Amino acid sequence: MGVPAFFRWLSRKYPSIIVHCVEEKGKECNGVRIPVDTTKPNPNEVEFDNLYLDMNGIIHPCTHPEDKPAPKNEDEMMVAIFEYIDRLFNIVRPRRVLYMAIDGVAPRAKMNQQRSRRFRASKEGVELVEEKNRMREEIIQRGGYLPPEEIKERFDSNCITPGTEFMDNLAHCLRYYVADRLSNDPGWRNVTVFLSDASVPGEGEHKIMDFVRRQRAQPNHDPNTHHCLCGADADLIMLGLATHEPNFTIIREEFKPNKPRPCALCGQMGHEIKDCQGTAREKQGQHDEFADTMPAAEQEFIFIRLCVLREYLARELTMASLPFPFDFERSVDDWVFMCFFVGNDFLPHLPSLEIREGAIDRLVNIYKDVVHKTGGYLTQNGYVNLERVEMIMQAVGVAEDNIFKKRKEDDESFKRRMKEKRKRMKAEQQGPAYLTTGQFAPHALGRRDRPEPVQNARHQAYDMRMQSREQHNKDAAQSLKAMIRNGGNSSAGPSDSSDSRGVKRKAEDSDSEPEPEDNVRLWEEGWKQRYYKTKFDVEVTDEDFRKKVVKSYVEGLCWVLRYYYQGCASWKWYFPFHYAPFASDFKDIKDMFTEFEKETKPFKPLEQLMGVFPAASGNFLPQTWRNLMTSPVSSIIDFYPDDFAIDLNGKKYAWQGVALLPFVDERRLRAALADVYPDLTPEEVKRNSLGSDIMFVGKSHPLSDFIHELYRAETQEGTEIPVELCHGIQGTLNLDDDPILPDKPVRSPIPMLRDISQNSAIGVKFKDPHYADGFVFKAVLLPGAKIPNKVLKPGDWEKGNREPWRPQLGFNPNRQQAHLDQSGFRALGHSLNRNQHGGGQYSNTPPPSNYQHGNYRPPHSGGHQPFPHSRQNSLLGAPPSFHQPQYPRQQQQYGRGGHGWDRTMQSQQSAYQQNMSRGRGGGGGGGGGGGGYQQRYDHRRDDWHDRRDDRRDNRGQQHQGYSSGRGYPPPPPSRRYNWN
Amino acid sequence: MAEERSGEDIVSEYLGQNPQLAQWVDTFRGYCESNKQWFARREFILRNMEAFPTVEPGVPSSSLDRLLSLSMVWANHIFLGCSYPQAVMEKIKEMGEGIVVQDAPVHKTRKDEVMSKGKRSATAEGDIDSCVKRAKCGPNELDSRPAGRTATRPVSQKAGPPPQAPAEHQPFFNRLYKAVAWKLVSAGGFGPNLDHFEILRSCVESCKQTLTCVFVPLKDITGLPAGRTQKEGHVCEIRCQTVYMGTGYGRDEAAARAMASKEALKAFQGRKVTVKICRRRYKGKDVEDLMLFDEQPRSQGFPPALSYPFQDEQLDEGSL
């Protein structure tokens, strides 16, 4: 589900599920990049067996990134994708399987969402251009400067849809990529690679799930396989839980909300297009050397450990004294099911359940209350018990009225608070009416300039007096002039403001932004009636219609759960309304659903394109097909409105609203396409056909020879993979028509990359193990599965009276804490370059001149550890908490004894040294040194530096105050710093 | 309302007489259609069946699909607020004539949404309108600009401003005069070093109106004195509420506009401003135009008009 709120909520509630990735960066030596050796143990101190890539989460950021310049052409995009996969491979280092899945044709249920996304994307694109042109005109009229409009083709992200040429090219490029890495990268040598491209129907993540499900249902599956799934969608968490594999980890980019984006008009950061002023670009860095770099750091990755989430859930869901035995695995399935109420890709969420309002907690509470009465779990193996669901829904329905009222109250109080805050902020900004100037001007404390003795106070006072008088004079003169000019025929007298128009109240001051009008008013009596009237255009008395909506929703819940646990039950089913019913409408739902239509088939890729594309993206389709989207005599013209309404539905932003798009009539679509099918070129026919997963292995893989043998024998029928050759992975192999074979060169589809002349990879079509119709995949832990060690602090830890609890931060509970030795600190000090000055401050000898030169040189990447970010610490294997208690002390020691001669002295007589340095500081250089130091470092510090600098500043201050002896109190006894 | 009743009555009566037809038509009902929506669409289908002679009840055909498609277009437009390409819209408008839908939902398309959001300070529809126009009104589109839209009063058959126009506009320009006077005072008086356009614009906007600037490259103006060496540059004409205020020439559009604003501001140096109808040249013809003067009418050397907001469309097209 594309609900960012879900992940946010989850990571706040269950913080320990997140582990930051340790990434070993490739080094560079004399301009040559040395690749990371991924055969080495994983620096995250865990070994993963299988890595699954939901490729669409990779393709989108690589083709139209938000935080860096877009790639110039398709080739660059492909290279960006390769690099991204390399990066992930380096972090995860799978030892058995790499599974790459690109979204293929999706079930009909998903099509509505895809359709709405693509129509919106196309619409927003057009609107952005319009807005840009309008703003551009306005700014130029106002005399602003804008860089000339780039004439570049906008990458239509809509082409990332199965069936387009782009996706076809991508599949080719990935084959090349896999062959290259299998032949040349030692880390890939024993990995089995699966590529499921866009020609294989199914959403990427669900193709992966299908693979996992079908593998674990066969007897040779290793129940302790450690899976790692890459993707940002929140539903991956649900999917991962649904597998009931004990070792399942998700890797995703760290979620950073509100990342700054450059203005679309002038390309500068810090404002949006509507506030663009067209001012000249500011220099980035002293010589504009950072012009093209974004201030944001490279996106980092995090792991989400589902085994830890399971621990959390076990705590939350465990119920004592149930009328039936408690089964944690079943309750996890129920939890997953309840999360669907809050939002998923296939159904609109219930109006009363909003994740931001703690809807899941509410559901869990209700669940625990009700489950006693229901006599069992809500779901089993992905099949829903509707009778029990109805009880939950009715319980939610009872609260509905209050939820809506509460929502309104919260909303109002939030608005009130924001208003007050704005007011406060403004008052702060305004400042006092009169400010003393010159020597009497107020100074902030703790700045570098120390107060000077006041000189000639009288004169200064006189100046200030005269200045204000002059101002008065000027004002008076101006209003007088104005009066004369108007020759008396103006009735408006001179006002005290020099601007006679009066200050117009800005829109922001008045009651904030205009609210989108909300006709439903869920918080007022009669909400249900109004909801059905405005959203469905029916009277509340129309019971039949309401039943229809509820029935569809119930079917939807069944379909979604089945989709997660058993695979796609029906390619045809979809939710045919734009809105959900209320929880209280779920009455007598027991018989509303029996079974889905069997034997449904997915759309063909080009058919699906016709179903999800707006007419504006028709260029991805053959001409006659495209005509169907625009011609007034087309028999499916109603699918392609060129503008549509968006109902905000109580939300604030258009992207949160509901796009009121018509649904596609499958029968008419197929009928219309039947006429144009003959117009396809052979190439298009090929793109339109359904493909197959492909499996690749390198030469040293045990399967390689086996597959090679199949090709030599030209085996026509499918062959099962021998159990012992591939970690118990099963499946059927079929010969590929245009295979990648060892010692057969692979042509590079990208001009800038070389052909592989020494290919040693081999590829073959792969099919997941087949199961009989009606086979039910069991949602249980497999026998022999070992549950990983507990991570959370046991609730009774204190009672056990053991040693203090040590939280586990990575994968390894017994993580080795790393320590820096002297040389390490020296290296650190050198590249951080503040240390010398720290030394300079506290030792009264000025640093040698060569140190001074080294000051602003960027740290070498070779010999010295750069420390640009706090978390990079973990590069050294140290958990973040480490440097607080220990590091400053050591560092300070070093700082004081920065130079050899000092250190000897210090080690002998450190107590003496302390006094000495204080005393000497008082004597002269100390205070000045402190000032200088602060001056140098008051810019561009990140958090970590800040923290330390604060401490240092404190000390500097103490020092300074003490030494200058101007009546500051003596420094408080230092607690934190162990001066000895 | 009565008509609608009868419309629906007729339909149900008709279907009552043809139960087979009724059954067949009902197979086209979408699952998600409410009674109201379906009855309206059913009427649409039945009414337009004759226009598709190849449609035979009970037989699937492509012309039937076309009819169904158009009925969906119509329903989507009415009930969901979708809009379609111009040709399609015209067609369904014609086909849907006479079908009355009672209190159809009101939907804002995305475009309206953005418009009203982007221009929060906009006071009236007209304001939004003119701001769009200003954005569009490049030199190339000058002639194709639909002139009728700017005029707020009914456009008279005869081209030219209606005789009561000066009186209508006078109060606004009185207000503008005051605003400009105060603005100039605060800026230290009229002089060469002001941002004239900015002053004019802010004053006009403080009076809740907008300026219309029209730019024409100098080389596109015909009938200039032959001996002119200047071929580069642009000419700008400023109007407010269709009333001509000034013309200026400059190297680029901004400079031309600044010059035009300066000219316009000159009129505000007197004791009052007056709106009058005057004859002047426009595209080689003499036309009547609304112009702004200070109290003493100056010499008759008006620059020719660059735009003419009083034509009706036909005339405009004809003059192209």
PDB file of all heavy atoms in Angstrom, chain A residues 617-630:
ATOM      1  N   SER A 617      -0.726   9.801 -22.984  1.00  0.00           N
ATOM      2  CA  SER A 617       0.405   8.879 -23.041  1.00  0.00           C
ATOM      3  C   SER A 617       0.245   7.883 -24.175  1.00  0.00           C
ATOM      4  O   SER A 617       0.915   6.854 -24.196  1.00  0.00           O
ATOM      5  CB  SER A 617       0.546   8.124 -21.721  1.00  0.00           C
ATOM      6  OG  SER A 617       0.884   8.995 -20.684  1.00  0.00           O
ATOM      7  N   GLY A 618      -0.640   8.182 -25.109  1.00  0.00           N
ATOM      8  CA  GLY A 618      -0.925   7.254 -26.202  1.00  0.00           C
ATOM      9  C   GLY A 618       0.264   6.969 -27.093  1.00  0.00           C
ATOM     10  O   GLY A 618       0.251   6.009 -27.852  1.00  0.00           O
ATOM     11  N   ASN A 619       1.311   7.782 -26.996  1.00  0.00           N
ATOM     12  CA  ASN A 619       2.456   7.570 -27.872  1.00  0.00           C
ATOM     13  C   ASN A 619       3.174   6.259 -27.602  1.00  0.00           C
ATOM     14  O   ASN A 619       4.028   5.854 -28.359  1.00  0.00           O
ATOM     15  CB  ASN A 619       3.437   8.732 -27.756  1.00  0.00           C
ATOM     16  CG  ASN A 619       3.773   9.048 -26.326  1.00  0.00           C
ATOM     17  OD1 ASN A 619       2.918   8.955 -25.447  1.00  0.00           O
ATOM     18  ND2 ASN A 619       5.012   9.396 -26.073  1.00  0.00           N
ATOM     19  N   PHE A 620       2.826   5.587 -26.490  1.00  0.00           N
ATOM     20  CA  PHE A 620       3.440   4.292 -26.236  1.00  0.00           C
ATOM     21  C   PHE A 620       2.689   3.169 -26.941  1.00  0.00           C
ATOM     22  O   PHE A 620       3.034   2.019 -26.793  1.00  0.00           O
ATOM     23  CB  PHE A 620       3.478   4.006 -24.734  1.00  0.00           C
ATOM     24  CG  PHE A 620       4.315   4.984 -23.979  1.00  0.00           C
ATOM     25  CD1 PHE A 620       3.754   5.823 -23.041  1.00  0.00           C
ATOM     26  CD2 PHE A 620       5.670   5.079 -24.227  1.00  0.00           C
ATOM     27  CE1 PHE A 620       4.530   6.729 -22.354  1.00  0.00           C
ATOM     28  CE2 PHE A 620       6.453   5.987 -23.541  1.00  0.00           C
ATOM     29  CZ  PHE A 620       5.886   6.818 -22.610  1.00  0.00           C
ATOM     30  N   LEU A 621       1.662   3.545 -27.677  1.00  0.00           N
ATOM     31  CA  LEU A 621       0.825   2.528 -28.304  1.00  0.00           C
ATOM     32  C   LEU A 621       0.866   2.668 -29.823  1.00  0.00           C
ATOM     33  O   LEU A 621       1.160   3.735 -30.345  1.00  0.00           O
ATOM     34  CB  LEU A 621      -0.609   2.692 -27.815  1.00  0.00           C
ATOM     35  CG  LEU A 621      -0.833   2.235 -26.378  1.00  0.00           C
ATOM     36  CD1 LEU A 621      -2.050   2.877 -25.794  1.00  0.00           C
ATOM     37  CD2 LEU A 621      -0.947   0.720 -26.336  1.00  0.00           C
ATOM     38  N   PRO A 622       0.532   1.578 -30.531  1.00  0.00           N
ATOM     39  CA  PRO A 622       0.453   1.669 -31.992  1.00  0.00           C
ATOM     40  C   PRO A 622      -0.619   2.682 -32.416  1.00  0.00           C
ATOM     41  O   PRO A 622      -1.589   2.907 -31.680  1.00  0.00           O
ATOM     42  CB  PRO A 622       0.046   0.258 -32.407  1.00  0.00           C
ATOM     43  CG  PRO A 622       0.265  -0.611 -31.234  1.00  0.00           C
ATOM     44  CD  PRO A 622       0.275   0.233 -30.030  1.00  0.00           C
ATOM     45  N   GLN A 623      -0.435   3.214 -33.596  1.00  0.00           N
ATOM     46  CA  GLN A 623      -1.285   4.323 -34.055  1.00  0.00           C
ATOM     47  C   GLN A 623      -2.779   4.012 -33.986  1.00  0.00           C
ATOM     48  O   GLN A 623      -3.557   4.778 -33.419  1.00  0.00           O
ATOM     49  CB  GLN A 623      -0.898   4.699 -35.488  1.00  0.00           C
ATOM     50  CG  GLN A 623      -1.677   5.866 -36.053  1.00  0.00           C
ATOM     51  CD  GLN A 623      -1.453   7.136 -35.246  1.00  0.00           C
ATOM     52  OE1 GLN A 623      -0.331   7.490 -34.931  1.00  0.00           O
ATOM     53  NE2 GLN A 623      -2.530   7.813 -34.889  1.00  0.00           N
ATOM     54  N   THR A 624      -3.178   2.866 -34.520  1.00  0.00           N
ATOM     55  CA  THR A 624      -4.619   2.594 -34.565  1.00  0.00           C
ATOM     56  C   THR A 624      -5.173   2.381 -33.166  1.00  0.00           C
ATOM     57  O   THR A 624      -6.335   2.673 -32.900  1.00  0.00           O
ATOM     58  CB  THR A 624      -4.920   1.355 -35.430  1.00  0.00           C
ATOM     59  OG1 THR A 624      -4.002   0.328 -35.085  1.00  0.00           O
ATOM     60  CG2 THR A 624      -4.809   1.681 -36.894  1.00  0.00           C
ATOM     61  N   TRP A 625      -4.345   1.866 -32.305  1.00  0.00           N
ATOM     62  CA  TRP A 625      -4.780   1.680 -30.910  1.00  0.00           C
ATOM     63  C   TRP A 625      -4.966   3.040 -30.259  1.00  0.00           C
ATOM     64  O   TRP A 625      -5.902   3.270 -29.516  1.00  0.00           O
ATOM     65  CB  TRP A 625      -3.741   0.869 -30.130  1.00  0.00           C
ATOM     66  CG  TRP A 625      -3.642  -0.567 -30.560  1.00  0.00           C
ATOM     67  CD1 TRP A 625      -3.483  -1.024 -31.837  1.00  0.00           C
ATOM     68  CD2 TRP A 625      -3.706  -1.716 -29.728  1.00  0.00           C
ATOM     69  NE1 TRP A 625      -3.431  -2.392 -31.841  1.00  0.00           N
ATOM     70  CE2 TRP A 625      -3.564  -2.844 -30.553  1.00  0.00           C
ATOM     71  CE3 TRP A 625      -3.855  -1.906 -28.358  1.00  0.00           C
ATOM     72  CZ2 TRP A 625      -3.578  -4.145 -30.056  1.00  0.00           C
ATOM     73  CZ3 TRP A 625      -3.856  -3.188 -27.850  1.00  0.00           C
ATOM     74  CH2 TRP A 625      -3.724  -4.309 -28.703  1.00  0.00           C
ATOM     75  N   ARG A 626      -4.023   3.911 -30.580  1.00  0.00           N
ATOM     76  CA  ARG A 626      -4.060   5.243 -30.001  1.00  0.00           C
ATOM     77  C   ARG A 626      -5.329   5.971 -30.436  1.00  0.00           C
ATOM     78  O   ARG A 626      -5.922   6.703 -29.660  1.00  0.00           O
ATOM     79  CB  ARG A 626      -2.830   6.008 -30.490  1.00  0.00           C
ATOM     80  CG  ARG A 626      -2.487   7.215 -29.709  1.00  0.00           C
ATOM     81  CD  ARG A 626      -1.290   7.915 -30.323  1.00  0.00           C
ATOM     82  NE  ARG A 626      -0.211   6.991 -30.644  1.00  0.00           N
ATOM     83  CZ  ARG A 626       0.829   7.318 -31.410  1.00  0.00           C
ATOM     84  NH1 ARG A 626       0.903   8.516 -31.948  1.00  0.00           N
ATOM     85  NH2 ARG A 626       1.777   6.452 -31.656  1.00  0.00           N
ATOM     86  N   ASN A 627      -5.733   5.747 -31.688  1.00  0.00           N
ATOM     87  CA  ASN A 627      -6.923   6.426 -32.188  1.00  0.00           C
ATOM     88  C   ASN A 627      -8.142   6.134 -31.332  1.00  0.00           C
ATOM     89  O   ASN A 627      -9.008   6.981 -31.166  1.00  0.00           O
ATOM     90  CB  ASN A 627      -7.211   6.007 -33.628  1.00  0.00           C
ATOM     91  CG  ASN A 627      -6.256   6.676 -34.579  1.00  0.00           C
ATOM     92  OD1 ASN A 627      -5.564   7.614 -34.189  1.00  0.00           O
ATOM     93  ND2 ASN A 627      -6.216   6.193 -35.812  1.00  0.00           N
ATOM     94  N   LEU A 628      -8.163   4.913 -30.799  1.00  0.00           N
ATOM     95  CA  LEU A 628      -9.315   4.546 -29.971  1.00  0.00           C
ATOM     96  C   LEU A 628      -9.445   5.434 -28.756  1.00  0.00           C
ATOM     97  O   LEU A 628     -10.507   5.551 -28.165  1.00  0.00           O
ATOM     98  CB  LEU A 628      -9.183   3.091 -29.527  1.00  0.00           C
ATOM     99  CG  LEU A 628      -9.379   2.027 -30.607  1.00  0.00           C
ATOM    100  CD1 LEU A 628      -9.087   0.653 -30.044  1.00  0.00           C
ATOM    101  CD2 LEU A 628     -10.811   2.085 -31.132  1.00  0.00           C
ATOM    102  N   MET A 629      -8.330   6.053 -28.358  1.00  0.00           N
ATOM    103  CA  MET A 629      -8.357   6.883 -27.158  1.00  0.00           C
ATOM    104  C   MET A 629      -8.833   8.299 -27.435  1.00  0.00           C
ATOM    105  O   MET A 629      -9.119   9.039 -26.502  1.00  0.00           O
ATOM    106  CB  MET A 629      -6.953   6.957 -26.548  1.00  0.00           C
ATOM    107  CG  MET A 629      -6.362   5.636 -26.155  1.00  0.00           C
ATOM    108  SD  MET A 629      -4.643   5.857 -25.701  1.00  0.00           S
ATOM    109  CE  MET A 629      -4.634   5.191 -24.063  1.00  0.00           C
ATOM    110  N   THR A 630      -8.837   8.678 -28.693  1.00  0.00           N
ATOM    111  CA  THR A 630      -9.134  10.081 -28.978  1.00  0.00           C
ATOM    112  C   THR A 630     -10.301  10.272 -29.946  1.00  0.00           C
ATOM    113  O   THR A 630     -10.957  11.311 -29.918  1.00  0.00           O
ATOM    114  CB  THR A 630      -7.909  10.779 -29.593  1.00  0.00           C
ATOM    115  OG1 THR A 630      -7.410   9.952 -30.638  1.00  0.00           O
ATOM    116  CG2 THR A 630      -6.831  10.996 -28.559  1.00  0.00           C
TER     117      THR A 630
END
